[in-house]
Amino acid sequence: MSILDKFAPLGQSYAQLRELGADPFAVTFDSMRSPVEATIDGRPVLVFGSNNYLGLTFDPRMVESGIEALRTYGAGTTGSRIANGTYLGHTSLEHKLAEFFGRRSAMVFTTGYQANLAMISTLAGRDDVLLLDADSHASIYDGSRLSAAQVIRFRHNDPDDLARRLRRLEGQPGDRLIVVEGIYSMLGDRARMAEIAQVKRETGATLLVDEAHSLGVLGANGRGAAEEAGVEDDADFVVGTFSKSLGGIGGFCVSNLPDFDILRVCCRPYMFTASLPPSVVATVQRGLERMVEQPELRQTLHRNAHRLYDGLSAAGFILGPEPGPIVSVRLPDVAVAATFWTALLQEGVYVNLALPPATPDSHPLLRTSVTAAHTDAQVDRAIATLTKIGAALGVLETNNG
Amino acid sequence: MADFQEIVEHIIGHLRKVVPPGTEIAAESRIVGDLGLDSLVVMNFVMALEDDFDVSLTMDSLAKVETVGDLARTLEALTKR
């Protein structure tokens, strides 16, 4: 008997997956030769599963900024933001983020996960109600579990269901905090921001938008789904991450609320963890500048996204609802998905394997993501490789369309 | 709105659509343990029930639900508010 016995069923599922040749949770990249080229077990692979949407991880100016900060400030801060872990870089990055979003205030967190954990658990207090999209990321669900508020889920991306649930709360005291994501991480679909913002306005609720996958991707300036929909004023809090478009790690929240800074002394996931290393902060700040300086990266990303989506769709794959940086292929069952994923890797294409219950329905997904750094030839090779394996496994719809 | 037994019958009506034909369902049936439903199926059928009774179940209250009867009692309490 062991305290780990309760994980035996999970262990069996994992063992079954490995028997199919797939161990998607233990992939090790030996080297990265570019934002989209790596080696795994000594073999070259094209990376089509990274979230590195703008392909900035090897931007020379970002790398140099990081090296300079590493030399100037050392390897780490060895402290939390409220103790000895706030350096000039952290406050400077917060100012730049606030400026970029046109907001009064910004807070930087050590990861994007912690940003959601911190904001959601702190904003929603005992008498409040959290309204979460049913397909929310784990960080949102975990933040809600850490909160003392009542938690209600609404149907994925369904403003009418959200409105109904808010109506049912009429007369009940407390604040209502709606949490949505700009782009949902599994199927890559965009939030119906305009309608959600309208529900928020009509009901007097507070709105938090997680732009993790939409920062640098959506909106004329890359500020995300709220910018694209023209409803930034309705997004009381915008949360995001540095580990996708900005090519680093860390999280943030920006807001116009005048008393925002009080959160610095009550957000536990902000207060009780070490702050980001100065080198990461410097890299991310340079990444933010590079993103603003190069709006063409966003256009290239969208062109690549359409190329991949259209190519896979034409081949007969069942995909998520719309083209975007995340293009997910729906597969019938875990065995097929694991076999497919393993074959892809053998053919030199890495994608993410997403399994239920992390997927929106009971189907597994091959979750591919494109970047601005992919060439047309690389996208075409990914399409051809997926199509070849898909045909061999019999998962292409022959009567597509 | 409805009494406990009516709510149980209503829930069973929904469950019949998602369990294999012939599966016995009673108030004492454990929704996950006995009926073998996965969390996604449960979520969808709970959302349908929420529409029918015009209530929202909190995640906390759902976490305490094990049997059909537990769910019926939770819905009954909400509809009587």
Side-chain angles (χ1 to χ4, degrees):
Chain A
M1 287 292 285
S2 147
I3 198 165
L4 297 179
D5 286 351
K6 54 181 155 303
F7 300 110
L10 180 63
Q12 283 161 9
S13 302
Y14 192 12
Q16 283 167 5
L17 199 59
R18 287 196 299 259
E19 278 166 23
L20 293 162
D23 194 349
F25 310 120
V27 170
T28 303
F29 292 91
D30 310 327
S31 67
M32 295 299 300
R33 293 182 292 137
S34 79
V36 295
E37 294 160 294
T39 54
I40 296 176
D41 291 333
R43 288 183 308 154
V45 291
L46 270 179
V47 181
F48 271 87
S50 72
N51 310 310
N52 188 5
Y53 300 132
L54 300 182
L56 284 175
T57 43
F58 281 80
D59 181 275
R61 282 173 244 199
M62 287 170 62
V63 172
E64 285 308 315
S65 297
I67 292 168
E68 193 186 325
L70 195 54
R71 290 216 168 96
T72 309
Y73 294 100
T77 66
T78 69
S80 80
R81 290 295 308 276
I82 56 163
N84 58 303
T86 295
Y87 290 12
L88 271 179
H90 298 85
T91 52
S92 167
L93 177 56
E94 287 176 342
H95 288 138
K96 292 287 177 189
L97 279 165
E99 191 179 282
F100 172 70
F101 279 97
R103 306 271 176 156
R104 195 191 295 246
S105 309
M107 261 169 98
V108 163
F109 300 87
T110 304
T111 67
Y113 173 88
Q114 282 168 304
N116 269 336
L117 206 65
M119 294 307 301
I120 293 165
S121 65
T122 311
L123 289 174
R126 184 161 302 280
D127 298 325
D128 302 331
V129 183
L130 266 167
L131 295 116
L132 311 183
D133 185 288
D135 283 6
S136 288
H137 186 261
S139 57
I140 294 171
Y141 275 115
D142 291 357
S144 78
R145 290 177 74 169
L146 208 56
S147 151
Q150 289 179 53
V151 185
I152 291 171
R153 282 181 294 201
F154 60 93
R155 283 189 175 86
H156 173 54
N157 222 355
D158 187 337
D160 294 334
D161 193 42
L162 172 63
R164 266 196 302 278
R165 289 169 191 277
L166 282 159
R167 177 183 51 73
R168 287 172 195 154
L169 293 169
E170 278 172 13
Q172 187 176 320
D175 291 312
R176 289 90 167 92
L177 178 65
I178 304 166
V179 182
V180 298
E181 297 175 46
I183 290 179
Y184 286 87
S185 61
M186 282 294 121
L187 291 176
D189 49 330
R190 272 177 295 181
R192 292 169 64 186
M193 281 306 309
E195 294 111 306
I196 287 163
Q198 190 183 344
V199 171
K200 175 252 156 140
R201 281 195 298 276
E202 288 170 358
T203 55
T206 301
L207 176 62
L208 183 149
V209 183
D210 177 3
E211 302 273 17
H213 292 272
S214 33
L215 169 67
V217 173
L218 299 180
N221 297 286
R223 292 197 294 262
E227 185 193 16
E228 184 186 52
V231 295
E232 285 181 284
D233 288 345
D234 294 304
D236 302 284
F237 300 94
V238 171
V239 170
T241 177
F242 306 139
S243 60
K244 298 180 173 33
S245 287
L246 296 182
I249 186 171
F252 69 88
C253 178
V254 296
S255 178
N256 266 335
L257 262 68
D259 301 324
F260 182 78
D261 280 332
I262 192 65
L263 296 173
R264 293 187 195 272
V265 289
C266 55
C267 250
R268 297 170 68 85
Y270 173 86
M271 298 164 69
F272 299 107
T273 192
S275 65
L276 282 169
S279 52
V280 171
V281 172
T283 306
V284 167
Q285 186 164 328
R286 201 75 185 97
L288 185 61
E289 289 164 12
R290 299 297 288 149
M291 185 177 89
V292 172
E293 287 160 7
Q294 305 172 91
E296 66 274 14
L297 290 178
R298 199 153 48 250
Q299 280 131 35
T300 308
L301 168 67
H302 286 292
R303 199 165 47 77
N304 286 346
H306 276 270
R307 193 178 185 93
L308 182 65
Y309 188 94
D310 294 347
L312 293 177
S313 177
F317 285 106
I318 303 169
L319 305 177
E322 57 180 318
I326 300 160
V327 179
S328 285
V329 176
R330 202 172 82 155
L331 292 171
D333 57 56
V334 172
V336 168
T339 307
F340 202 138
W341 181 86
T342 306
L344 265 178
L345 199 55
Q346 282 164 354
E347 293 277 340
V349 178
Y350 172 81
V351 303
N352 303 126
L353 176 60
L355 302 175
T359 54
D361 60 21
S362 48
H363 291 92
L365 299 170
L366 286 181
R367 180 186 176 276
T368 75
S369 52
V370 275
T371 83
H374 284 117
T375 63
D376 285 355
Q378 288 169 332
V379 174
D380 291 347
R381 201 187 126 202
I383 296 166
T385 311
L386 273 136
T387 304
K388 186 176 93 174
I389 299 167
L393 293 174
V395 299
L396 301 179
E397 284 203 322
T398 47
N399 56 346
N400 183 46
Chain B
M1 175 196 162
D3 69 16
F4 175 77
Q5 201 50 44
E6 285 171 337
I7 298 174
V8 168
E9 292 304 322
H10 191 90
I11 294 170
I12 291 174
H14 271 283
L15 284 170
R16 292 227 178 279
K17 297 175 208 158
V18 290
V19 297
T23 306
E24 278 193 30
I25 315 174
E28 299 75 34
S29 302
R30 290 177 301 157
I31 295 166
V32 176
D34 294 336
L35 304 177
L37 301 181
D38 70 32
S39 56
L40 289 161
V41 173
V42 171
M43 190 176 83
N44 287 335
F45 113 84
V46 165
M47 284 190 162
L49 286 172
E50 289 176 309
D51 282 349
D52 295 346
F53 292 95
D54 197 23
V55 295
S56 293
L57 291 166
T58 64
M59 287 185 68
D60 192 38
S61 69
L62 269 175
K64 293 175 190 145
V65 166
E66 194 178 356
T67 65
V68 170
D70 295 339
L71 182 54
R73 267 184 289 278
T74 306
L75 286 167
E76 187 184 24
L78 280 173
T79 53
K80 280 186 176 162
R81 265 190 195 173

